[in-house]
Amino acid sequence: MKERIYTIPVTDAFREDCECPLCLLEEKLESDALEYTLGPSMMESDSRIETNRKGFCSRHFTKLYNMQKNRLPLGLIIDTHLVEQIGIIREMTEKSLPMIKKEAAATAMERIAGSLKKDRNETVQFINAMIEKLSNLEKTCTICEKIDWNMEKFTDVILYLFFKEPDFKELFMAKKGFCLPHLKRLLEGSLKYLNNRNRSEFIIALMSMQLTHMDRIREEVYWFTQKFDYKNKDAPWGNSQDALPRSIRKIAGPADLVR
Ligand SMILES: [Zn+2]
Ligand SMILES: [Zn+2]
């Protein structure tokens, strides 16, 4: 039996009526991770080492700030993150500065010679190294990585239960498909966790369900647009009243949409 701490939330999420049970799992992981970041994680030196090094993506900085609480922990996390990042950026800059100054003071002849061998130009090398450093920092997020690690476990458990628990398979097949990012995750998971025979069986089930429900949601959006035609003014909304937020989530995954 796969780890129960992952099985229970998976089964609970698949029992909910929703456009994507994996979105429910991810949203829960995200809110737990946000709470944890401003709470217990503050006291753990390993967590602080991680947030100093990786920081957060823009989405998660925004969410941490918008929680409007625990301002002191957030301030402390940002303070030590900045100390570490400024240290790295300053060290890289100071190491290259003497050569960059030399290139700034180069004579016209030296510059012409230098432009012929751009890859050996210290200023260009410094710029590329700094771009790489900043790109890496932009890509890392303590919260995204935590969510991703757990979502991987959930994916493994879903694929396991699909073949081991007939009740779960039935639950799975009664869903309305998945959002596209989580469809992708299940496809990736099937490459990783299933043998050839099971993979083919799973893909047939998954894709037929997915397409049925993509057609369904497209029709709901279409009817939403048709309701703006005065001819349809008095026609019933059906399921289309909230078709926009549901279709956006179907396409893009978890999204904070203002109601
Ligand atoms: Zn989803
Ligand atoms: Zn993030």
Side-chain angles (χ1 to χ4, degrees), residues 167-191:
D167 287 354
F168 181 79
K169 187 174 181 176
E170 203 176 305
L171 210 52
F172 185 100
M173 293 312 300
K175 297 317 298 175
K176 296 174 174 171
F178 302 89
C179 71
L180 297 185
H182 289 140
L183 173 69
K184 187 175 99 177
R185 193 177 263 282
L186 288 170
L187 293 170
E188 288 166 345
S190 76
L191 288 177

Side-chain angles (χ1 to χ4, degrees), residues 143-161:
I143 292 179
C144 280
E145 285 173 28
K146 189 172 285 162
I147 293 171
D148 193 60
W149 192 86
N150 282 296
M151 287 303 287
E152 193 56 31
K153 288 270 183 191
F154 284 140
T155 307
D156 183 9
V157 164
I158 290 165
L159 294 170
Y160 172 85
L161 291 174

Side-chain angles (χ1 to χ4, degrees), residues 33-237:
L34 290 165
E35 293 286 342
Y36 176 77
T37 302
L38 296 184
S41 117
M42 284 294 303
M43 302 300 178
E44 287 181 27
S45 64
D46 281 0
S47 297
R48 293 298 292 278
I49 290 168
E50 204 186 346
T51 55
N52 290 346
R53 191 157 55 86
K54 296 177 184 167
F56 304 97
C57 64
S58 172
R59 171 183 168 92
H60 288 131
F61 261 130
T62 307
K63 290 206 157 211
L64 287 168
Y65 181 79
N66 287 351
M67 282 165 82
Q68 298 287 348
K69 60 174 188 178
N70 298 347
R71 285 288 192 237
L72 175 61
L74 182 56
L76 293 170
I77 289 170
I78 293 174
D79 178 44
T80 55
H81 173 68
L82 277 175
V83 168
E84 179 155 334
Q85 298 308 319
I86 291 167
I88 295 167
I89 292 168
R90 175 164 290 122
E91 198 188 309
M92 287 173 72
T93 307
E94 284 175 353
K95 214 177 94 196
S96 297
L97 211 54
M99 287 305 287
I100 295 172
K101 281 182 179 162
K102 217 168 147 189
E103 282 172 354
T107 63
M109 280 309 286
E110 284 168 334
R111 266 179 224 183
I112 291 164
S115 68
L116 294 174
K117 40 188 179 178
K118 209 174 171 192
D119 55 328
R120 276 163 61 196
N121 181 305
E122 283 285 333
T123 309
V124 172
Q125 277 180 21
F126 167 78
I127 293 168
N128 284 330
M130 190 57 79
I131 289 172
E132 195 187 332
K133 151 69 194 154
L134 296 175
S135 301
N136 284 339
L137 184 59
E138 230 170 63
K139 270 185 253 156
T140 56
C141 168
T142 312
I143 292 179
C144 280
E145 285 173 28
K146 189 172 285 162
I147 293 171
D148 193 60
W149 192 86
N150 282 296
M151 287 303 287
E152 193 56 31
K153 288 270 183 191
F154 284 140
T155 307
D156 183 9
V157 164
I158 290 165
L159 294 170
Y160 172 85
L161 291 174
F162 185 89
F163 289 99
K164 286 287 179 300
E165 304 276 339
D167 287 354
F168 181 79
K169 187 174 181 176
E170 203 176 305
L171 210 52
F172 185 100
M173 293 312 300
K175 297 317 298 175
K176 296 174 174 171
F178 302 89
C179 71
L180 297 185
H182 289 140
L183 173 69
K184 187 175 99 177
R185 193 177 263 282
L186 288 170
L187 293 170
E188 288 166 345
S190 76
L191 288 177
K192 206 162 157 185
Y193 301 115
L194 298 180
N195 64 32
N196 286 342
R197 194 179 163 278
N198 284 354
R199 189 183 304 120
S200 306
E201 185 189 330
F202 178 72
I203 292 303
I204 293 166
L206 175 67
M207 293 313 296
S208 81
M209 166 173 67
Q210 184 70 27
L211 283 168
T212 301
H213 284 282
M214 290 189 75
D215 284 341
R216 188 241 328 140
I217 204 146
R218 190 260 148 183
E219 277 158 24
E220 289 168 356
V221 174
Y222 179 69
W223 181 240
F224 178 88
T225 66
Q226 292 305 100
K227 276 289 291 167
F228 286 81
D229 187 332
Y230 91 107
K231 285 201 307 280
N232 296 323
K233 191 165 56 75
D234 298 321
W237 273 97

Side-chain angles (χ1 to χ4, degrees), residues 20 22-23 179 182 253:
C20 176
L22 271 76
C23 280
C179 71
H182 289 140

